[in-house]
Amino acid sequence: MREYSGMTTIGLVLSAGGFSGAAHHSGVLDALSSVTGWDSRTSDVVVGTSAGSLIAVSLRAGISPHDLACYYTDDTMTPEGQEIIDRVTTSLKVPEPGFSGNSKIPSKPSLVLKEIFLGGRPRPMVAVTGIIPEGQFDGSSFAERTSQIHPDPWPEKPTWLCALDLDSGKRVVFGRDDVEVDVGTAVQASSAIPGRFIPVNLNGRRYIDGGVHSLTNADLLAPLQLDLVIISSSSTLTGSHRNSSLSVAWNSRTLQKEIEQIRSNGTEVLTFEPTTSDLLARNELESSKEAAEDIFRRSKTSAIARLAKPQSSRARELLEKSLLQI
């Protein structure tokens, strides 16, 4: 896809991360729009996982980076954005942290054996998920709200939403793989946190949060040979993860390998992550509107600083070039 007929091709990756992930992505996308003028709605392909899947669909529905930011800044949305938001009538229902059921039956214990004995790079989260009982909280409000934002069955432009097949332990990419699903159900599946939400059942297969496989799933874009891939990752520190928690360190190494795969095909990669201080401050926050606003503002500030670095110059050139194509 590289510069086909002179066109600059851009992919966007939006990671898992819960309410803090959504705030992080909104800050990154607002910064990109403010600094470079690039509108993430024009991405040639978007990969979304869990919280990132809803942001991906929101962009495809027509909600601009400015309108995403308005939730955190209390500024006035554009008429187009407000019209979309006014369609949402379902309240979002989210369980308290921790397991949501009393069952002690593992959801798929054979996944532990597969991850240990079948070779390849082990995926600890997949193995752990296999011994966690199924969640019992109904996540259908995610599907309903998403379908209200995006009433059509699927976006016209390539939109890949990641989930995990709980029965096989394999990643499934809705919008790319041969799985019949509407966009609301895909977001519900991609966001079904193990042990908290009921897995989404499609044709006898159980699907859960795609972040179990990878928080970012950025490697999906490696074969496309795009000109630029922009990654918004809310819970990694690829440049300085040695003193971080085990989960942050593992996810950071996973993302670094994905970035290397993408770059091996000559694609420029621009990654936006929280700083170490951003993550430390985030750990002290509760899930509230005020906390989300703080994460949004920190994310936007860090993203603006990232764009100002010399290492981002090539990516900015490609973004500016893409603006001439609109």
Side-chain angles (χ1 to χ4, degrees):
M1 295 179 67
R2 191 181 316 285
E3 295 197 70
Y4 177 75
S5 298
M7 302 292 284
T8 302
T9 52
I10 300 175
L12 175 65
V13 175
L14 301 167
S15 76
F19 95 102
S20 60
H24 174 87
H25 299 326
S26 298
V28 167
L29 299 179
D30 194 34
L32 278 163
S33 177
S34 300
V35 173
T36 71
W38 181 70
D39 188 336
S40 47
R41 291 177 294 181
T42 66
S43 303
D44 292 282
V45 57
V46 181
V47 175
T49 303
S50 199
S53 67
L54 179 56
I55 299 296
V57 174
S58 298
L59 294 172
R60 291 310 200 205
I63 299 179
S64 69
H66 166 78
D67 291 332
L68 287 174
C70 286
Y71 173 80
Y72 306 97
T73 62
D74 290 325
D75 291 334
T76 302
M77 297 183 74
T78 65
E80 296 79 10
Q82 190 63 56
E83 182 180 356
I84 296 171
I85 294 302
D86 287 344
R87 296 199 296 255
V88 180
T89 58
T90 300
S91 298
L92 184 62
K93 299 175 183 178
V94 181
E96 294 296 323
F99 296 152
S100 64
N102 297 319
S103 172
K104 296 181 180 180
I105 301 174
S107 58
K108 192 68 175 180
S110 61
L111 291 183
V112 179
L113 299 177
K114 287 182 179 180
E115 291 302 312
I116 294 175
F117 296 111
L118 289 187
R121 186 170 186 259
R123 296 171 298 166
M125 279 301 297
V126 175
V128 170
T129 296
I131 60 176
I132 295 175
E134 282 190 12
Q136 297 299 310
F137 192 88
D138 180 11
S140 60
S141 65
F142 285 83
E144 292 172 9
R145 288 172 63 89
T146 302
S147 295
Q148 290 160 3
I149 291 172
H150 195 289
D152 293 333
W154 203 266
E156 291 185 5
K157 298 188 72 173
T159 307
W160 296 353
L161 308 182
C162 302
L164 186 90
D165 183 329
L166 181 57
D167 295 297
S168 68
K170 295 181 180 180
R171 174 174 63 189
V172 176
V173 185
F174 299 125
R176 186 203 67 169
D177 297 347
D178 187 19
V179 180
E180 187 174 345
V181 63
D182 64 87
V183 71
T185 304
V187 168
Q188 180 185 347
S190 183
S191 307
I193 300 172
R196 296 179 68 186
F197 289 94
I198 300 170
V200 172
N201 192 306
L202 292 172
N203 298 318
R205 310 295 298 185
R206 296 177 296 169
Y207 296 99
I208 58 171
D209 197 317
V212 174
H213 175 86
S214 163
L215 290 183
T216 43
N217 292 289
D219 59 301
L220 291 171
L221 298 184
L224 300 187
Q225 297 187 351
L226 301 163
D227 292 294
L228 172 65
V229 168
I230 297 171
I231 301 172
S232 177
S233 180
S234 70
S235 307
T236 55
L237 296 167
T238 55
S240 55
H241 58 73
R242 290 186 177 180
N243 296 322
S244 57
S245 67
L246 287 175
S247 62
V248 171
W250 178 268
N251 291 323
S252 299
R253 284 194 293 269
T254 298
L255 175 56
Q256 188 59 53
K257 290 179 180 295
E258 295 173 352
I259 291 172
E260 291 169 0
Q261 282 184 261
I262 298 170
R263 285 180 172 157
S264 68
N265 288 322
T267 298
E268 185 72 23
V269 179
L270 179 60
T271 306
F272 295 96
E273 302 171 292
T275 63
T276 302
S277 59
D278 288 343
L279 278 184
L280 289 174
R282 190 182 301 177
N283 290 338
E284 299 174 0
L285 299 174
E286 300 291 335
S287 298
S288 66
K289 177 69 182 296
E290 293 73 20
E293 180 181 343
D294 182 76
I295 293 168
F296 166 83
R297 295 191 183 282
R298 286 176 176 273
S299 173
K300 183 174 180 178
T301 298
S302 296
I304 291 173
R306 176 74 174 88
L307 287 165
K309 293 183 178 180
Q311 300 95 313
S312 302
S313 59
R314 176 55 182 162
R316 291 187 61 171
E317 288 175 7
L318 291 168
L319 289 171
E320 291 168 3
K321 184 177 179 180
S322 72
L323 297 178
L324 302 177
Q325 300 166 182
I326 300 175

PDB file of all heavy atoms in Angstrom, residues 6 78 82 84 129 140 212 225 236 305:
ATOM      1  N   GLY A   6       0.866   7.820  -5.523  1.00  0.00           N
ATOM      2  CA  GLY A   6       1.285   9.047  -4.866  1.00  0.00           C
ATOM      3  C   GLY A   6       0.592   9.300  -3.544  1.00  0.00           C
ATOM      4  O   GLY A   6       0.855  10.308  -2.897  1.00  0.00           O
ATOM      5  N   THR A  78     -18.837  20.032  17.995  1.00  0.00           N
ATOM      6  CA  THR A  78     -19.350  20.480  16.708  1.00  0.00           C
ATOM      7  C   THR A  78     -20.785  19.983  16.553  1.00  0.00           C
ATOM      8  O   THR A  78     -21.176  18.992  17.183  1.00  0.00           O
ATOM      9  CB  THR A  78     -18.507  19.932  15.544  1.00  0.00           C
ATOM     10  OG1 THR A  78     -18.643  18.491  15.517  1.00  0.00           O
ATOM     11  CG2 THR A  78     -17.034  20.306  15.708  1.00  0.00           C
ATOM     12  N   GLN A  82     -22.208  16.446  18.024  1.00  0.00           N
ATOM     13  CA  GLN A  82     -23.309  16.443  18.977  1.00  0.00           C
ATOM     14  C   GLN A  82     -24.483  15.625  18.465  1.00  0.00           C
ATOM     15  O   GLN A  82     -25.152  14.911  19.230  1.00  0.00           O
ATOM     16  CB  GLN A  82     -23.767  17.885  19.254  1.00  0.00           C
ATOM     17  CG  GLN A  82     -24.738  18.001  20.422  1.00  0.00           C
ATOM     18  CD  GLN A  82     -24.097  17.566  21.728  1.00  0.00           C
ATOM     19  OE1 GLN A  82     -23.063  18.073  22.132  1.00  0.00           O
ATOM     20  NE2 GLN A  82     -24.731  16.599  22.404  1.00  0.00           N
ATOM     21  N   ILE A  84     -24.318  12.971  16.629  1.00  0.00           N
ATOM     22  CA  ILE A  84     -23.995  11.551  16.843  1.00  0.00           C
ATOM     23  C   ILE A  84     -24.164  11.172  18.305  1.00  0.00           C
ATOM     24  O   ILE A  84     -24.783  10.152  18.635  1.00  0.00           O
ATOM     25  CB  ILE A  84     -22.555  11.255  16.372  1.00  0.00           C
ATOM     26  CG1 ILE A  84     -22.433  11.476  14.867  1.00  0.00           C
ATOM     27  CG2 ILE A  84     -22.159   9.822  16.734  1.00  0.00           C
ATOM     28  CD1 ILE A  84     -21.006  11.428  14.356  1.00  0.00           C
ATOM     29  N   THR A 129      -5.756 -16.398  31.890  1.00  0.00           N
ATOM     30  CA  THR A 129      -7.181 -16.310  31.556  1.00  0.00           C
ATOM     31  C   THR A 129      -7.838 -17.682  31.564  1.00  0.00           C
ATOM     32  O   THR A 129      -8.999 -17.830  31.948  1.00  0.00           O
ATOM     33  CB  THR A 129      -7.362 -15.645  30.177  1.00  0.00           C
ATOM     34  OG1 THR A 129      -6.888 -14.293  30.250  1.00  0.00           O
ATOM     35  CG2 THR A 129      -8.815 -15.645  29.745  1.00  0.00           C
ATOM     36  N   SER A 140     -23.608  -6.000  27.580  1.00  0.00           N
ATOM     37  CA  SER A 140     -24.380  -5.628  26.395  1.00  0.00           C
ATOM     38  C   SER A 140     -24.539  -4.126  26.226  1.00  0.00           C
ATOM     39  O   SER A 140     -24.820  -3.652  25.120  1.00  0.00           O
ATOM     40  CB  SER A 140     -25.760  -6.296  26.432  1.00  0.00           C
ATOM     41  OG  SER A 140     -26.489  -5.900  27.581  1.00  0.00           O
ATOM     42  N   VAL A 212      -5.977  -9.520  25.990  1.00  0.00           N
ATOM     43  CA  VAL A 212      -5.366 -10.720  26.556  1.00  0.00           C
ATOM     44  C   VAL A 212      -4.238 -11.207  25.645  1.00  0.00           C
ATOM     45  O   VAL A 212      -3.205 -11.697  26.112  1.00  0.00           O
ATOM     46  CB  VAL A 212      -6.427 -11.829  26.752  1.00  0.00           C
ATOM     47  CG1 VAL A 212      -5.776 -13.128  27.202  1.00  0.00           C
ATOM     48  CG2 VAL A 212      -7.481 -11.378  27.755  1.00  0.00           C
ATOM     49  N   GLN A 225       2.594  -2.799   4.749  1.00  0.00           N
ATOM     50  CA  GLN A 225       3.626  -1.901   4.210  1.00  0.00           C
ATOM     51  C   GLN A 225       3.073  -0.483   4.002  1.00  0.00           C
ATOM     52  O   GLN A 225       3.215   0.118   2.936  1.00  0.00           O
ATOM     53  CB  GLN A 225       4.207  -2.462   2.913  1.00  0.00           C
ATOM     54  CG  GLN A 225       4.911  -3.786   3.092  1.00  0.00           C
ATOM     55  CD  GLN A 225       5.645  -4.271   1.859  1.00  0.00           C
ATOM     56  OE1 GLN A 225       5.508  -3.708   0.771  1.00  0.00           O
ATOM     57  NE2 GLN A 225       6.434  -5.312   2.006  1.00  0.00           N
ATOM     58  N   THR A 236       2.053   1.256  28.302  1.00  0.00           N
ATOM     59  CA  THR A 236       3.393   0.725  28.041  1.00  0.00           C
ATOM     60  C   THR A 236       4.437   1.823  28.155  1.00  0.00           C
ATOM     61  O   THR A 236       4.132   3.018  28.088  1.00  0.00           O
ATOM     62  CB  THR A 236       3.475   0.104  26.633  1.00  0.00           C
ATOM     63  OG1 THR A 236       3.070   1.082  25.658  1.00  0.00           O
ATOM     64  CG2 THR A 236       2.577  -1.120  26.526  1.00  0.00           C
ATOM     65  N   ALA A 305       4.765  17.031  23.265  1.00  0.00           N
ATOM     66  CA  ALA A 305       6.219  16.979  23.471  1.00  0.00           C
ATOM     67  C   ALA A 305       6.860  15.944  22.564  1.00  0.00           C
ATOM     68  O   ALA A 305       7.947  16.168  22.016  1.00  0.00           O
ATOM     69  CB  ALA A 305       6.520  16.668  24.937  1.00  0.00           C
TER      70      ALA A 305
END
